[in-house]
Amino acid sequence: EAGVAQSPRYKIIEKRQSVAFWCNPISGHATLYWYQQILGQGPKLLIQFQNNGVVDDSQLPKDRFSAERLKGVDSTLKIQPAKLEDSAVYLCASSLAWVNTEAFFGQGTRLTVV
Amino acid sequence: AQKITQTQPGMFVQEKEAVTLDCTYDTSDPSYGLFWYKQPSSGEMIFLIYQGSYDQQNATEGRYSLNFQKARKSANLVISASQLGDSAMYFCAMRDPNTGFQKLVFGTGTRLLVSP
């Protein structure tokens, strides 16, 4: 079974530029998550989708971050414009359901904003 | 409010010894799920073990076991017979039943270093 795919693996941009990350979850997984992991910290949930609907985006900085999951499969996360403090690893995860099932993670995208 | 607390920033253990990584959680809901993940230096998050709040027995998966003490709200991970490849960050996580769609929240992690 293929795992969660993310691209790109690494990205370096200048502040105020825009960037987009892509995630393809495990086939059949209804729940998709985007996490931000700043160096030395645990992952922080940015947004959670159930199929193609947003069920939690309470910690998403909506003035600069946006995410979508068209057709309830793959998803993109965009930052525009980027700030220095957005430097982090962005992890995408998916799970079969949102009730007491584990989430499977992709390898992440390491973003450096200079 | 902090939902998941991992008080050990770092732990050291010798190869072949057992080690316990601490995790406490906070919820008033009787139904919840607890998870442990391993994050090696490569960055991916690897699922290790799951414990449901209604599970009668402590979860075990190979060398991993979960010491679940419900009354104390603790879910410590025990790794038996440590191996060099166990060196990594370890995160405790909980499906928070007090949030819609059971948001999966993580602790701050414990870095485990296994020495020869």
Side-chain angles (χ1 to χ4, degrees), chain A residues 22-50:
Chain A
W22 175 81
C23 172
N24 190 18
I26 293 173
S27 177
H29 281 196
T31 309
L32 185 147
Y33 317 79
W34 282 102
Y35 285 87
Q36 180 193 58
Q37 187 177 21
I38 293 172
L39 187 64
Q41 299 182 16
K44 180 182 85 170
L45 181 68
L46 292 176
I47 189 166
Q48 179 175 338
F49 291 93
Q50 184 67 19

Side-chain angles (χ1 to χ4, degrees), chain A residues 9-10 31 33 35 37 40-45 48 50 55-56 58-59 89 91 95 97-108 110, chain B residues 31-35 37 39 41-47 50-54 89 91 95 99-109 111:
Chain A
R9 286 294 313 276
Y10 305 93
T31 309
Y33 317 79
Y35 285 87
Q37 187 177 21
Q41 299 182 16
K44 180 182 85 170
L45 181 68
Q48 179 175 338
Q50 184 67 19
V55 298
D56 192 301
S58 56
Q59 297 195 90
V89 175
L91 296 163
S95 62
W98 51 271
V99 181
N100 292 338
T101 56
E102 68 270 30
F104 296 88
F105 284 78
Q107 290 193 297
R110 184 177 297 276
Chain B
S31 176
Y32 50 89
L34 296 157
F35 305 80
Y37 283 83
Q39 188 176 43
S41 55
S42 57
E44 62 189 297
M45 297 282 280
I46 303 167
F47 166 71
Y50 164 76
Q51 179 82 45
S53 59
Y54 291 122
M89 284 290 291
F91 291 95
R95 285 227 179 251
T99 63
F101 287 89
Q102 293 204 350
K103 190 161 67 174
L104 185 62
V105 294
F106 285 80
T108 51
R111 182 173 297 281

Side-chain angles (χ1 to χ4, degrees), chain B residues 3-57:
Chain B
K3 296 287 185 179
I4 295 283
T5 302
Q6 295 181 255
T7 57
Q8 307 155 313
M11 290 287 285
F12 295 90
V13 67
Q14 269 199 312
E15 205 176 1
K16 300 186 179 67
E17 290 186 347
V19 63
T20 298
L21 306 183
D22 295 342
C23 172
T24 57
Y25 58 91
D26 180 28
T27 181
S28 56
D29 198 288
S31 176
Y32 50 89
L34 296 157
F35 305 80
W36 276 92
Y37 283 83
K38 172 184 178 181
Q39 188 176 43
S41 55
S42 57
E44 62 189 297
M45 297 282 280
I46 303 167
F47 166 71
L48 295 178
I49 196 167
Y50 164 76
Q51 179 82 45
S53 59
Y54 291 122
D55 292 344
Q56 294 296 317
Q57 293 186 320

Side-chain angles (χ1 to χ4, degrees), chain B residues 74-115:
Chain B
S74 74
N76 299 337
L77 177 70
V78 180
I79 305 175
S80 62
S82 298
Q83 302 172 356
L84 296 179
D86 294 335
S87 294
M89 284 290 291
Y90 288 81
F91 291 95
C92 181
M94 179 177 72
R95 285 227 179 251
D96 187 354
N98 295 317
T99 63
F101 287 89
Q102 293 204 350
K103 190 161 67 174
L104 185 62
V105 294
F106 285 80
T108 51
T110 296
R111 182 173 297 281
L112 177 66
L113 185 60
V114 182
S115 60

